[in-house]
Amino acid sequence: MTQRKSAVILGAQWGDEGKGKIVDVLSGHFDVVARYAGGHNAGHTVIISGKRFVLQLIPCGVLRPECKGVIGNGVVLDPMAFLSEVKKLREAGLPIEGGPGGQLFVSNRAQVILPYHRMIELAAENAPGRTKIGTTSRGIGPAYEDKMHRNGLRVVDLLNPSLLRTHINNACHEKNTIAHALFGTEPLDPKQMYEEYARAAEQLAPFVTDTAVLLNDAIRAGQKVMFEGAQGALLDIDHGTYPFVTSSSSTAGGAVTGTGVGPTRMGTVIGVTKAYVTRVGEGPFPTEINDSSAELLRARGQEYGAVTGRPRRCGWLDLPLLRYSNMINSTEWLVVTKMDVMDECAEIPVCTHYKVDGKLTDTIPADMRGFDLIEPVFTTLKGWSCSTEGVTEFERLPLLAQEYLTFLEKESGARIGMVSTGPDRDQTITLPAFAETLSA
Ligand code: IMP
């Protein structure tokens, strides 16, 4: 069987690029959508016929009955969050099932988030003397810490009651002691925790399988897999703006380790970038806007976190960071989202380079001090000042909007494959060369 082209799709910036909608639109071209990193800190908003779905863990692919969803081994899974999402989807009329003939599968090697992970994270984030990251408080970091410390609980072990009981007893003893000693936190009750999680395990069991085998078999059988990233490349634990990052490999490399499919099977890499930039939480943001234009973008773009509701920081397009993101991911295609949000901007500054000590540079600093020294250099493009909402053909965009996109493409080093002109599935432009790649 010839191998058809799979794809990794990921956020090119700090998350919230609008991947949910794009994965949903593209999932029509794929047989399987597999999440490879993060947990329920991600929030993918999808609007179908005016109905809004926010998915945090489950890949949006499952919104199409013919598409399978996989939660890969690189994900940290909160069983309660997973089950409540399944319930929500079923209530919306989607018959989500696991097992043979089912649509949704969870890796037996994924790590489990337990209540003490949240307890430790909340206490540590608020502790004096610690660098506040502004996390989503979902226990993501501590769950990955336990994974790397070889002290975590995997899904396969969650399904084994006696192992689960021993793990919870030992872990609670350790975490309660640490949290109390360091932060004065009240202890969690291991007996109650065991009972809740043993019940959850029973409901989770039908979804659990060896997803690396499932994915490799699917590819060998000629199926196409979309490897769905969460967060964005600049929140990657290695390549992002450390320490203001998440705790997983959100870049394209994470798709390999996070699913058990090797790099030669990944196909292409698609980066999703907003036409501008946003960030939630703390950390450097060279093109952040500090005047009323930020409010305009925030209001028009509904820039509030899908998971936490926090207002997002807004900024102009940052080409040095986009080029960096395209480099570390080997991004071939870009999808530009939220084009219509800039319809009312009379002028659009775009950062083309950084200046450090009076010299132009494209180097992305590894340390936070380096970011403090950056002076962004802007080119100001003329805004198109008319509606692009719902436009579905590139040629029907106002000329100045076309010029903006052409400039972005030329400067970023990747080809634009799609442009999103509104939140609905249909408000999308697909460029012909990209459509050809998708149908291969
Ligand atoms: P954590 O992933 O909850 O540990 O949070 C670490 C950082 O990543 C914080 O700045 C969060 O705001 C950010 N973050 C985590 N998930 C997302 C996301 O889905 N979109 C945008 N930012 C995120």
Side-chain angles (χ1 to χ4, degrees), residues 41 83 110 126 137 181-183 188 246 269 293 300 368 377 391 396 399 411 433:
N41 49 348
L83 293 172
N126 296 313
S137 313
L182 290 180
F183 313 116
L188 294 169
T246 191
V269 178
S293 311
R300 276 190 65 94
M368 291 307 104
V377 179
V391 173
R396 290 195 180 266
L399 270 183
E411 293 282 327

Side-chain angles (χ1 to χ4, degrees), residues 14-16 41-43 121 133-138 140-141 230-231 235 244-247 279-282 307 310:
W14 285 290
D16 306 319
N41 49 348
E121 176 170 17
I133 308 292
T135 69
T136 58
S137 313
R138 298 294 192 270
I140 305 293
Q231 289 80 48
L235 287 174
F244 301 99
V245 291
T246 191
S247 297
R279 168 162 211 172
V280 277
E282 310 299 318
V307 174
R310 290 181 290 179

Side-chain angles (χ1 to χ4, degrees), residues 16 49 52 68 149 157 169 181 205 262 287 328 341 354 416 421:
D16 306 319
S49 310
R52 191 167 179 268
K68 288 195 173 83
H149 199 47
D157 299 330
N169 278 338
T287 61
I328 57 178
V341 170
Y354 295 154
I416 294 180
T421 55

Side-chain angles (χ1 to χ4, degrees), residues 4 8 12 129 137 155 177 201 205 211 214 245 256 278 299 423:
R4 291 163 69 223
V8 181
S137 313
V155 166
T177 310
T211 51
L214 185 153
V245 291
V256 173
T278 61

